[in-house]
Amino acid sequence: MKIAVMGCAGRMGRMLVQEIHATEGCVFAGGTEPAGSPFLGSDPALLAGLPASGLTVTDDVAAVFKAADAVIDFTSPAATVTHARLAAETGTALVVGTTGLSAEQTAAITAASASTVIMMAPNMSVGVNLLFALTQKVAATLGIDYDIEIVEMHHRHKVDAPSGTALGLGRAAARGRGVDLDAVKETVRDGVTGAREAGKIGFATLRGGDVVGDHTVIFAADGERVELTHKASNRGVFAKGAVRAACWTEGRTPGLYSMMDVLGLS
C-alpha cells in the first residue's frame, strides 16, 4: 500500500516515515512540507534516518495525493481541511490525527468523507482508544452521583488546550451519560467559582517539559474514587496506530471513521 505523509520533516512526520518503512506491505509514497520550508528538496527517508528513497520533500500536495493510496496528516487545522478536500477530489484515503479543529473545520472534513475514506481520531494510540471505550462504559455504569474530571499533561510546545485526546475522553464520558459534551464541559476555573455543579465534566490542563501525553479520567463520589489513566512515553505509539489505520482504509467504502472502527471497538 502506498502511503504518503503530510508534514514529513517534523518529529511526528519522521516517525511516520520510519513506521511505514518498517511495516510489511507498505511503501512510502512521498511527503510534503509547506512552501518556504528549509526541508524542501531533501530526501524524507534520509531525514528519518533511513536509506535514501529517491523521493524529495515537496510542497506540491496535489501531486502527492495522486501518487498515494492513503495519506497521513498530523499538521494544522487549516491545512487538514485543504487536505480533506484534495482527498475527496482524488479518492485518496486520508488518516487525520490533527487536533484543535473547530466545529466548522470538522464539518468540512465530514463533508469530504462523502467522497472518500477519512479516518479521523484525536489519538491514534491503541491504548488510548481502549481508554475511550472504558470511559464511556464506566460513565454509563456509575451515573450522575460520580463527578467526572479529566486531567491531561503535555510538553511545553503543545499549542491547543485541552488536548484533543482529553476532549475525546470527555465526549466518551458524555456519551455514556447520554448528554452533549458542549452542554456540560467546564474547561476553566478561576477565582471564587462556588460549589461544583452536578453533572459537569471538568478539565484540567498541565503543560511542561517533554511530556508526550498523560491522561487521567477521575470518577469521584462520596467515599470512593475511580481513576483511568494512560501515559504515552514515546510518540512511536501514535505513528504505529496511524499506519495501522492507513492500511485498514484499503477497500473501505467512503465515509468518516474513527480508531474505534479500526480496532473493532465501535
Side-chain angles (χ1 to χ4, degrees), residues 104-252:
E104 287 184 351
Q105 289 165 333
T106 300
I109 295 169
T110 301
S113 72
S115 301
T116 192
V117 178
I118 297 182
M119 200 298 298
M120 183 165 64
N123 193 302
M124 302 288 177
S125 157
V126 172
V128 162
N129 281 276
L130 178 59
L131 184 59
F132 289 151
L134 290 172
T135 297
Q136 181 173 338
K137 179 65 173 177
V138 173
T141 301
L142 295 181
I144 199 72
D145 290 337
Y146 287 73
D147 299 322
I148 301 177
E149 294 287 319
I150 298 169
V151 182
E152 59 102 340
M153 183 170 185
H154 285 83
H155 54 87
R156 64 172 68 93
H157 302 293
K158 188 167 178 61
V159 299
D160 57 308
S163 71
T165 300
L167 291 171
L169 289 166
R171 285 190 290 272
R175 280 195 304 272
R177 286 187 167 176
V179 297
D180 178 24
L181 178 62
D182 288 336
V184 297
K185 74 178 178 181
E186 190 165 17
T187 57
V188 177
R189 293 190 180 107
D190 186 35
V192 180
T193 61
R196 189 187 198 281
E197 184 179 341
K200 289 288 187 179
I201 296 177
F203 293 82
T205 297
L206 308 178
R207 293 287 178 267
D210 62 353
V211 178
V212 173
D214 294 352
H215 295 87
T216 297
V217 185
I218 303 168
F219 298 87
D222 294 342
E224 68 176 355
R225 188 168 70 246
V226 177
E227 297 185 4
L228 304 175
T229 297
H230 178 274
K231 295 186 177 184
S233 57
N234 189 306
R235 286 180 181 80
V237 297
F238 309 134
K240 189 175 294 292
V243 173
R244 178 172 175 173
C247 293
W248 179 88
T249 64
E250 188 173 17
R252 305 287 168 181

